[in-house]
Amino acid sequence: MSSATITLSNGIAQPVIGLGTWQSSPAEVIAAVKASVKAGYRLIDTASVYQNEEAIGTAIKELIAEGVVKREELFITTKAWTHEIAPGKLEEGIRSALKKLQLEYVDLYLAHIPTAFNNEMTAHIASPVEDIWRQFDAVYKLGLAKAVGVSNWNNDQIARVLALGLTPVHNSQVELHLYFPQHEHVNFCKSHNISVTSYATLGSPGRVNFTLPNGLKPDWAPAPSELEDANVLAAAKKYNKTPAQVLLRYVLDRGFAIIPKSINEARIIENFNVFDFKLTADEISKLEEKKISQRLFLQEFMYGHPEDAFASERK
Ligand code: NAP
């Protein structure tokens, strides 16, 4: 079974479920991509900073060679990291991603972050989002990406680039889950015909294992487990589904795409097996009763940058 789709403002169909791949090593991601496509997934979400584009390219090539799927049935998303959005760098960034992925085009190319840095991420580059978006407009017009969008940008930043009158923002990928429901952002996106993709839909339980390239662990804020939320457990019992499936359905039933990450085949299948039930508006309100709004991904490295998207939220 292939998943349902959302139509982007340029007519491109984006699958509502994709495989997340942050923290998936090259060996893990090859197996995960193959298991997911065989289970019906058609969207794979990666980023240059995940350092697994090459392995994903290998898995896709093998799946196509085996006749499991055709290129045009897949929807591949990747993202430009902070040095690739610096002035004059984006075309080189997307061509490098395409080479690793062994593809002629990606389906969606996102500005991973609105803050440009030098290659080593030691110095801010004060490139305004308008200049970043001019580069996205150019790679879209070259046909290197079928759609373009943003990630971790705030509403004002998106409004500023829409005002340029260039290629519109097709998609916004943001942290969005039961304990960070993002009502204001999604209303803004809806009013501008921008599709929304949720990341950390399960509350990103594995983020605590993240280790920086220098071996250090970031100082993540502790967060309650959404998989153990009492209302989630009650809905899971009612529908004979798992808590993870309820958390995924909560976002799907609000009208957004999801990209749950797993390297475990049983969970990959479980996360796709969500099309046989639906939450009502009352059940969604009940789930939201707990009124928690906690951003998990503070992207601390943006502190002090003139385009820090979360500056107004920082204490
Ligand atoms: P997530 O999808 O909410 O959670 C993934 C974690 O949950 C993994 O540790 C996974 O472990 C576990 N898991 C998966 N399925 C499960 C299930 N059915 N039951 C219990 N646990 C389960 O978090 P995420 O990886 O942070 O976000 C998803 C994707 O969004 C990422 O992989 C990435 O592609 C994207 N993302 C984008 C940004 C951005 O800045 N744009 C930021 C973060 C994430 P196993 O692998 O062991 O199953």
Side-chain angles (χ1 to χ4, degrees):
M1 182 176 60
S2 289
S3 86
T5 57
I6 291 174
T7 304
L8 303 181
S9 63
N10 62 353
I12 299 283
Q14 174 191 358
V16 294
I17 300 192
L19 178 74
T21 67
W22 177 50
Q23 291 185 281
S24 303
S25 71
E28 290 166 343
V29 91
I30 290 182
V33 168
K34 288 188 173 180
S36 70
V37 172
K38 287 177 184 165
Y41 290 64
R42 292 295 175 262
L43 189 164
I44 310 294
D45 181 84
T46 183
S48 62
V49 75
Y50 302 167
Q51 299 189 333
N52 56 19
E53 289 170 309
E54 212 161 334
I56 291 172
T58 301
I60 293 170
K61 195 178 177 187
E62 290 177 9
L63 285 164
I64 293 172
E66 288 164 23
V68 178
V69 75
K70 296 188 179 77
R71 165 66 186 101
E72 55 275 20
E73 293 167 344
L74 291 172
F75 189 103
I76 310 299
T77 302
T78 194
K79 316 182 192 85
W81 191 238
T82 51
H83 60 288
E84 293 163 322
I85 57 171
K89 297 283 189 194
L90 197 74
E91 188 178 334
E92 189 186 324
I94 191 167
R95 288 195 187 279
S96 156
L98 291 173
K99 194 168 173 205
K100 289 180 185 155
L101 289 162
Q102 303 186 55
L103 298 176
E104 301 284 311
Y105 64 89
V106 286
D107 296 274
L108 179 60
Y109 196 44
L110 301 175
H112 203 150
I113 292 286
T115 53
F117 279 77
N118 63 343
N119 286 359
E120 300 74 28
M121 267 190 99
T122 50
H124 296 164
I125 296 179
S127 183
V129 288
E130 289 86 345
D131 287 353
I132 296 171
W133 197 250
R134 286 187 185 96
Q135 298 196 75
F136 274 82
D137 178 61
V139 299
Y140 178 71
K141 287 176 175 158
L142 285 172
L144 301 175
K146 297 275 181 209
V148 282
V150 299
S151 182
N152 302 301
W153 287 35
N154 66 35
N155 296 354
D156 288 346
Q157 290 170 322
I158 298 176
R160 281 164 54 199
V161 304
L162 292 177
L164 297 172
L166 299 172
T167 304
V169 174
H170 298 122
N171 178 258
S172 173
Q173 183 179 124
V174 287
E175 179 180 340
L176 192 169
H177 44 93
L178 181 58
Y179 291 170
F180 197 62
Q182 290 267 28
H183 289 291
E184 203 184 316
H185 182 67
V186 301
N187 287 339
F188 170 85
C189 287
K190 200 171 174 191
S191 69
H192 292 283
N193 205 4
I194 298 169
S195 80
V196 172
T197 304
S198 145
Y199 75 71
T201 320
L202 301 172
S204 195
R207 85 193 206 293
V208 288
N209 303 323
F210 183 61
T211 308
L212 292 160
N214 59 11
L216 295 176
K217 282 191 176 284
D219 190 15
W220 300 111
S225 167
E226 301 177 35
L227 290 161
E228 289 163 25
D229 179 281
N231 290 328
V232 171
L233 294 175
K237 194 169 175 202
K238 174 178 172 189
Y239 288 107
N240 197 21
K241 301 300 271 187
T242 65
Q245 289 168 326
V246 170
L247 289 172
L248 299 175
R249 207 60 244 185
Y250 161 74
V251 173
L252 287 175
D253 286 329
R254 290 182 54 208
F256 315 124
I258 56 173
I259 44 171
K261 174 265 176 184
S262 184
I263 51 166
N264 172 307
E265 186 170 1
R267 285 171 168 177
I268 289 171
I269 293 168
E270 173 187 333
N271 294 344
F272 196 75
N273 184 12
V274 290
F275 292 109
D276 58 353
F277 79 115
K278 208 172 167 16
L279 300 172
T280 64
D282 282 352
E283 285 167 338
I284 288 175
S285 306
K286 176 82 185 158
L287 287 174
E288 290 185 342
E289 226 170 33
K290 198 154 169 178
K291 303 279 174 252
I292 296 182
S293 186
Q294 181 182 358
R295 191 186 282 286
L296 303 174
F297 290 81
L298 294 163
Q299 317 287 15
E300 287 89 344
F301 59 83
M302 293 200 288
Y303 282 5
H305 192 290
E307 291 289 4
D308 178 1
F310 309 150
S312 65
E313 295 175 33
R314 308 210 194 266
K315 293 187 186 111

